[in-house]
Amino acid sequence: MSTTKKTELDELDVAIEEEVVEKPKKAAPVKKTPKKYAPGDRIECRSVTGGELFLVGPKSQLLYTWEDYNDTTFVEYQDLQALQSRKSGFLVKPRFIIEDEELVEAKKKVTCHDVVNMQYTSGTTGFPKGVMLTHYNIANNGFLTGEHMKFTSEDKLCVCVPLFHCFGVVLATMNCLTHGCTQVMVEKFDPLVVLASIHKERCTSVYGVPTMFIAELNHPMFDMFDMSSLRVGIMAGALCPIELMRQVEEKMFMKVTSVYGLTEASPGMTHTRVDDPFEVRCTTVGRDYEFTEVKVIDPETGEECPVGVQGEMCNRGYNTMKGYYKNQQATDEVIDKNGFLHSGDLGVKDENGNYRITGRIKDMIIRGGENIYPREIEEFLYKMEGIKDVQVAGIPSKRYGEAVGAFIILHEGAEMNEFDVREFCEGKIARYKIPKYIFFIKEFPMTGSGKIQKYKLKDLGLELCAKQGIEII
């Protein structure tokens, strides 16, 4: 090492020594005056076990929660020190919660039109598309749904429909959130658990698809439970049989309303009101939601249909989705240049402004709330040896709203019966997709241009059932 470098190091050592020598002595600790919290201050105190304390009111009360003991009590602020003796291991460390200014700044970064919920729907093609729903969409739709049924903070809603679907997350949860009422959650649908929950919690409302209500009414222990607390509910998700709605009203003591819509409409487009006559509530899907426009539009001309004339159900308003996630082409296919969302369903408007769903442009079958796409079943059945052609369509069902019907044309010389078809399907496709009704025919109803008139298959199925003595269930 050179002399120059040694000199530099020596100087550095001297500088460090001088700095140490010149450093003043550490001052005596200053005794801090404890912070005095005034009534209304917002502080948080945490225990070592995870419990929390919050100063909540003008009387300096703290909400004291011990999560591990599932114990909640109110204590006076002056008793903070006493808590340490009441519960071993309690550690009081007051700190102020986020300031209002920080909250205001955070709020500036979001708007009510931001996407808050993504629901996946298969639409017409069976290919999943993410429906982007905003705060504005679902908060308003949930609130108005509750208004139609005159919900208040005193209501208790038994929620047995799934929260991954708009039925549960919007019509149920957002309704309760905006009305301050209670949700009684049923984690997995079980008719006995639903009945017991209504009985024990004195629920005032319950939702469900038709098959759920059928299961509840037909449960052998139904008569053991008191349903008299119920006053209103929603039956939706599938075609709702009139007789079923009548039984629910008579045996469960509640007025049944129906919501019509689709995920892309957040989901409600029309809704019968709790004050509507029974005839309206059981034969129509009600009138449009406030602040929306529902029109019956001629699919061919794009013009609005007169009262009593069938057309496509379309909607425009606050409830229209923001679009399909990263799929502008699909979005443009369902939302026209005038902002109307096209449902693909056929309906008729009556002179009182109520709508009746008559069918669907789309081929989708709704069996007990489950969406079934005929093309998937058709492509599967094409693999069965002996089948020349096959079409799948919905057959009206008293129990499920619709059931799967398969119309099969066999190759010449091939022999097959309905049991062979069901056996071929067992274990390979979902049970609810296996055709309930199987018909062997010579030809399909066709248009002049050679296209299959699929909408006529429903009537053909009913006709064949009648001829063969098959009971529709």
Side-chain angles (χ1 to χ4, degrees):
M1 182 179 292
S2 66
T3 306
T4 303
K5 288 184 178 181
K6 285 183 179 179
T7 303
E8 290 174 351
L9 290 174
D10 292 341
E11 292 176 353
L12 180 61
D13 290 339
V14 171
I16 292 174
E17 289 175 1
E18 291 175 349
E19 182 178 350
V20 173
V21 171
E22 294 176 0
K23 187 174 181 180
K25 294 182 179 181
K26 187 176 180 181
V30 179
K31 189 175 181 181
K32 294 183 179 180
T33 303
K35 166 76 174 179
K36 292 184 179 181
Y37 295 102
D41 281 354
R42 301 165 63 223
I43 67 170
E44 177 185 3
C45 301
R46 292 186 178 274
S47 74
V48 293
T49 56
E52 295 183 347
L53 283 167
F54 290 100
L55 183 61
V56 293
K59 295 182 180 179
S60 298
Q61 286 185 319
L62 291 163
L63 176 59
Y64 173 44
T65 304
W66 280 85
E67 295 177 357
D68 52 343
Y69 291 105
N70 195 26
D71 176 35
T72 302
T73 59
F74 282 94
V75 297
E76 291 298 325
Y77 175 71
Q78 290 80 1
D79 294 335
L80 277 174
Q81 297 301 322
L83 293 176
Q84 197 154 1
S85 61
R86 286 178 58 189
K87 299 283 187 179
S88 60
F90 188 80
L91 181 64
V92 179
K93 289 187 176 180
R95 67 179 178 80
F96 280 93
I97 295 177
I98 184 170
E99 297 293 342
D100 289 343
E101 291 77 11
E102 294 181 61
L103 180 60
V104 170
E105 286 302 313
K107 285 183 175 180
K108 289 180 181 179
K109 298 178 182 179
V110 297
T111 75
C112 64
H113 299 294
D114 288 339
V115 175
V116 67
N117 182 255
M118 186 94 77
Q119 297 281 340
Y120 274 84
T121 179
S122 295
T124 58
T125 63
F127 184 79
K129 296 187 289 292
V131 178
M132 297 186 291
L133 300 178
T134 67
H135 302 267
Y136 190 68
N137 289 147
I138 67 173
N140 284 294
N141 208 248
F143 171 72
L144 291 171
T145 298
E147 290 295 288
H148 299 161
M149 297 183 289
K150 297 187 175 180
F151 262 67
T152 71
S153 59
E154 299 300 314
D155 280 295
K156 290 184 178 181
L157 172 60
C158 182
V159 182
C160 56
V161 292
L163 297 179
F164 59 76
H165 190 279
C166 272
F167 202 171
V169 78
V170 180
L171 301 185
T173 299
M174 295 309 298
N175 170 15
C176 291
L177 181 64
T178 54
H179 287 87
C181 50
T182 302
Q183 284 193 111
V184 177
M185 306 301 298
V186 175
E187 185 173 355
K188 183 179 180 181
F189 178 74
D190 181 317
L192 183 60
V193 176
V194 173
L195 294 171
S197 298
I198 294 170
H199 174 96
K200 180 181 178 182
E201 301 295 335
R202 310 310 297 148
C203 295
T204 61
S205 183
V206 63
Y207 292 174
V209 298
T211 49
M212 290 180 173
F213 284 104
I214 291 172
E216 290 155 17
L217 289 170
N218 293 326
H219 196 280
M221 297 175 68
F222 177 83
D223 292 332
M224 295 176 59
F225 299 98
D226 181 6
M227 301 285 106
S228 62
S229 61
L230 292 173
R231 68 172 188 85
V232 69
I234 295 176
M235 186 186 297
L239 300 176
C240 303
I242 296 175
E243 183 56 35
L244 174 61
M245 297 181 77
R246 181 176 287 109
Q247 287 186 31
V248 170
E249 296 218 351
E250 291 176 355
K251 297 180 179 181
M252 299 182 75
F253 310 106
M254 57 179 267
K255 289 186 176 181
V256 182
T257 66
S258 296
V259 173
Y260 163 73
L262 60 160
T263 305
E264 291 86 340
S266 304
M269 287 171 55
T270 70
H271 189 186
T272 52
R273 274 54 167 181
V274 65
D275 291 333
D276 286 338
F278 175 75
E279 187 68 19
V280 171
R281 288 185 286 104
C282 73
T283 61
T284 78
V285 290
R287 54 190 184 275
D288 43 353
Y289 273 65
E290 297 83 350
F291 314 110
T292 66
E293 297 176 75
V294 175
K295 289 186 178 181
V296 179
I297 295 178
D298 188 320
E300 299 294 330
T301 66
E303 298 295 323
E304 185 174 5
C305 296
V307 169
V309 176
Q310 178 178 271
E312 184 180 12
M313 296 287 291
C314 299
N315 173 90
R316 179 170 66 183
Y318 74 85
N319 56 341
T320 300
M321 67 171 179
K322 197 164 188 176
Y324 291 121
Y325 180 64
K326 293 185 177 180
N327 197 337
Q328 189 60 46
Q329 181 180 347
T331 301
D332 294 339
E333 288 174 359
V334 297
I335 301 177
D336 65 27
K337 61 182 180 181
N338 296 316
F340 276 94
L341 171 69
H342 290 249
S343 70
D345 295 321
L346 297 172
V348 175
K349 183 178 181 179
D350 67 21
E351 61 278 4
N352 297 315
N354 294 306
Y355 296 87
R356 182 167 54 87
I357 306 303
T358 57
R360 57 179 55 86
I361 298 174
K362 305 173 184 179
D363 297 327
M364 184 177 69
I365 300 168
I366 303 179
R367 178 189 179 276
E370 295 283 354
N371 293 344
I372 301 172
Y373 296 91
R375 183 175 177 180
E376 176 188 353
I377 304 172
E378 290 164 0
E379 290 180 348
F380 175 78
L381 290 177
Y382 272 126
K383 300 174 183 178
M384 187 174 182
E385 188 175 350
I387 292 181
K388 180 181 179 181
D389 203 355
V390 58
Q391 289 291 313
V392 172
I395 305 297
S397 168
K398 297 176 183 177
R399 181 179 297 173
Y400 297 105
E402 287 183 304
V404 179
F407 300 80
I408 298 172
I409 297 177
L410 296 175
H411 285 291
E412 188 174 350
E415 292 184 1
M416 188 182 300
N417 59 44
E418 62 184 65
F419 302 104
D420 296 327
V421 176
R422 293 197 184 98
E423 184 178 1
F424 179 77
C425 296
E426 287 287 345
K428 299 174 184 174
I429 61 174
R431 292 186 63 85
Y432 67 86
K433 295 179 181 178
I434 297 175
K436 171 70 175 176
Y437 303 101
I438 300 169
F439 309 103
F440 297 94
I441 60 178
K442 297 295 183 181
E443 59 184 8
F444 299 124
M446 311 286 282
T447 65
S449 60
K451 294 181 180 179
I452 298 172
Q453 295 177 304
K454 202 155 190 173
Y455 68 94
K456 289 188 176 181
L457 292 177
K458 176 181 72 174
D459 293 332
L460 176 60
L462 292 174
E463 181 183 326
L464 292 172
C465 282
K467 286 183 178 179
Q468 299 173 20
I470 301 175
E471 182 184 2
I472 299 292
I473 59 174

